[in-house]
Amino acid sequence: MPHTTFRSALRELARCYQAFEVYASSHIHLQGLTISQFDILVTLGNGQNMTPKELVEKTLITKGTLTGVVDRLQIKGLVKRTPSALDGRSQIITLTKKGQTLFDQIFPEHLAYMGKAFEHLETKEISHIEEALSTLRQALENKKTKGENP
């Protein structure tokens, strides 16, 4: 692949992600949450219980950031930590009743808000975008699996 095409695609991907984050965060901040807090709230939504390790694997939050984000959600009364029955050294993080109520309210609102960004696209275009992104993700994951070092 010519380097100019590759660099152009990388640049567009980064710009798209930045635009997505700006658009999404404007709605999330109206709810009094950060993007990281919203990410945890949504991941734990619908009664999920997870260890910190599982949350790191299922969110966009790094291990070093997770504790602080969960601390702030706990202060807001949205999550609770309980000792794991399987491993006394680990904790299980769960939404509180207040957290579940907030999730039930804002998640559908946020999906509707995000849907507005896709209104001008036809179903075929959305499918094409999803397919292209999936192909790129798989290519990146395959490179990682093959142990290619930076």
Side-chain angles (χ1 to χ4, degrees):
M1 170 185 280
H3 288 291
T4 56
T5 304
F6 164 73
R7 287 193 305 251
S8 176
L10 273 182
R11 190 176 309 114
E12 193 56 37
L13 180 62
R15 286 178 176 163
C16 183
Y17 179 74
Q18 289 168 340
F20 167 82
E21 194 168 66
V22 167
Y23 184 74
S25 67
S26 65
H27 184 256
I28 292 167
H29 289 128
L30 288 175
Q31 312 304 321
L33 298 170
T34 66
I35 290 179
S36 296
Q37 291 171 345
F38 182 78
D39 196 0
I40 290 176
L41 189 76
V42 169
T43 303
L44 293 175
N46 295 319
Q48 296 289 326
N49 302 322
M50 294 187 190
T51 65
K53 181 180 178 188
E54 292 169 324
L55 273 173
V56 166
E57 292 169 357
K58 295 187 184 284
T59 64
L60 300 175
I61 302 167
T62 63
K63 185 178 179 182
T65 304
L66 183 72
T67 300
V69 176
V70 172
D71 286 347
R72 287 183 282 287
L73 285 170
Q74 193 168 14
I75 290 168
K76 291 181 178 202
L78 300 175
V79 299
K80 64 181 176 181
R81 291 176 169 115
T82 54
S84 169
L86 301 175
D87 180 0
R89 299 169 294 166
S90 185
Q91 297 177 330
I92 302 297
I93 302 169
T94 312
L95 290 181
T96 62
K97 186 172 182 131
K98 180 180 175 182
Q100 186 65 50
T101 299
L102 182 62
F103 168 79
D104 292 341
Q105 174 200 337
I106 68 171
F107 187 64
E109 290 175 6
H110 189 66
L111 282 180
Y113 173 79
M114 293 304 296
K116 292 176 186 176
F118 292 81
E119 285 177 341
H120 72 287
L121 298 171
E122 295 180 19
T123 303
K124 187 175 181 179
E125 291 173 302
I126 294 171
S127 294
H128 179 71
I129 292 167
E130 181 181 2
E131 185 179 315
L133 289 170
S134 177
T135 300
L136 176 59
R137 178 187 48 78
Q138 289 173 21
L140 293 167
E141 288 174 351
N142 287 341
K143 291 290 185 185
K144 178 94 169 129
T145 303
K146 290 178 182 176
E148 292 187 22
N149 293 321

